Amino acid sequence: MAFRVGVLISGEGSNLQAILDTLHGNEIEVVAVASSRHGARGLERARQAGIEVEVFARDDYPDRDARDAALGNWLADRQVDLVVLAGFMEILSGAFIRRFEGRVVNVHPSLLPAFPGVGAIEQALDYGVQVMGVTVHFVDEGVDSGPVILQESFELPYARDIEVIEEHIHRIEHRLLPRAVSLIAAGSVRFDPDNPRLARTGGRDG
Ligand code: GRF
């Protein structure tokens, strides 16, 4: 039976596109795409792939808990095995995270735990880092604080053009996020019984 994935977006949806291009229809089935913003470009990408879409904007509900409950019901009705946050720019309520415990992943443009939250790339550049990277992690009730699944780093040149760096980060994200989803779908991500934060992702020592 296909591994069913729901993807949450807020904007461009290039990470969603990477999942559609590499995994959808073979390793997994993207069965639902929800956006926190009306008119997000990613909704169009999903529609073009024939995927069911819905908008769950915070302002359309009395509060965040009500929005997240509706979003959770919509995803549960579609029987998703995994929820992927792909540029979803909002914090989900604790109730949502507990409902889908261990089944929500996020891609973040820094080497966590450095630079969580919004503006991670700018924060890292302001700090003067020499190494940057991307993290895919499980989502817990904190901000970008759940167990790491995959990380990839790269060294920065002295000359820093933020657009070039952003593009480089996106290229890594578009590889790393589908790889993490693929590993989870294959049942290849397990936690070390002695350290519940340490994900084992198959391979030699997995
Ligand atoms: C990505 O850089 C992601 O890491 C960040 O927001 C961006 C979303 O890009 N949280 P897209 O919508 O997938 O194109």
Side-chain angles (χ1 to χ4, degrees):
M1 215 173 70
F3 188 85
R4 299 170 70 83
V5 173
V7 181
L8 308 191
I9 59 163
S10 296
E12 179 57 32
S14 67
N15 281 288
L16 163 67
Q17 190 69 58
I19 291 170
L20 294 177
D21 292 346
T22 56
L23 306 178
H24 178 59
N26 46 72
E27 292 177 52
I28 61 143
E29 216 51 57
V30 177
V31 295
V33 171
S35 171
S36 62
R37 293 192 191 139
H38 294 276
R41 161 93 173 97
L43 289 169
E44 204 37 55
R45 297 176 188 269
R47 281 192 199 100
Q48 275 181 12
I51 296 160
E52 206 178 341
V53 301
E54 191 60 80
V55 175
F56 292 88
R58 167 70 190 75
D59 289 349
D60 296 344
Y61 294 85
D63 54 31
R64 188 186 64 166
D65 287 353
R67 192 279 307 269
D68 288 2
L71 173 60
N73 290 341
W74 189 76
L75 292 167
D77 284 348
R78 279 144 194 84
Q79 297 177 301
V80 300
D81 298 301
L82 184 70
V83 178
V84 177
L85 312 189
F88 185 70
M89 302 306 285
E90 292 187 26
I91 307 293
L92 290 159
S93 65
F96 182 99
I97 298 304
R98 288 190 294 276
R99 182 173 185 176
F100 295 94
E101 202 187 344
R103 295 189 289 141
V104 185
V105 300
N106 180 42
V107 61
H108 184 76
S110 79
L111 292 173
L112 291 170
F115 313 116
V118 291
I121 299 173
E122 290 84 350
Q123 285 182 58
L125 293 179
D126 286 349
Y127 194 87
V129 298
Q130 297 182 0
V131 175
M132 288 179 89
V134 171
T135 303
V136 181
H137 63 95
F138 283 106
V139 177
D140 65 10
E141 291 184 45
V143 176
D144 298 323
S145 55
V148 169
I149 304 165
L150 294 174
Q151 285 186 309
E152 186 173 317
S153 65
F154 64 95
E155 285 185 25
L156 281 173
Y158 179 70
R160 285 145 190 235
D161 177 337
I162 183 147
E163 281 175 19
V164 174
I165 290 166
E166 276 173 350
E167 215 182 287
H168 190 68
I169 285 188
H170 284 140
R171 270 203 300 277
I172 296 175
E173 289 182 342
H174 298 164
R175 214 165 2 87
L176 215 61
L177 182 61
R179 194 189 304 156
V181 172
S182 165
L183 286 166
I184 293 168
S188 302
V189 178
R190 292 200 179 77
F191 284 93
D192 189 319
D194 296 328
N195 179 357
R197 286 206 58 102
L198 185 57
R200 313 181 79 155
T201 50
R204 268 180 309 145
D205 57 1

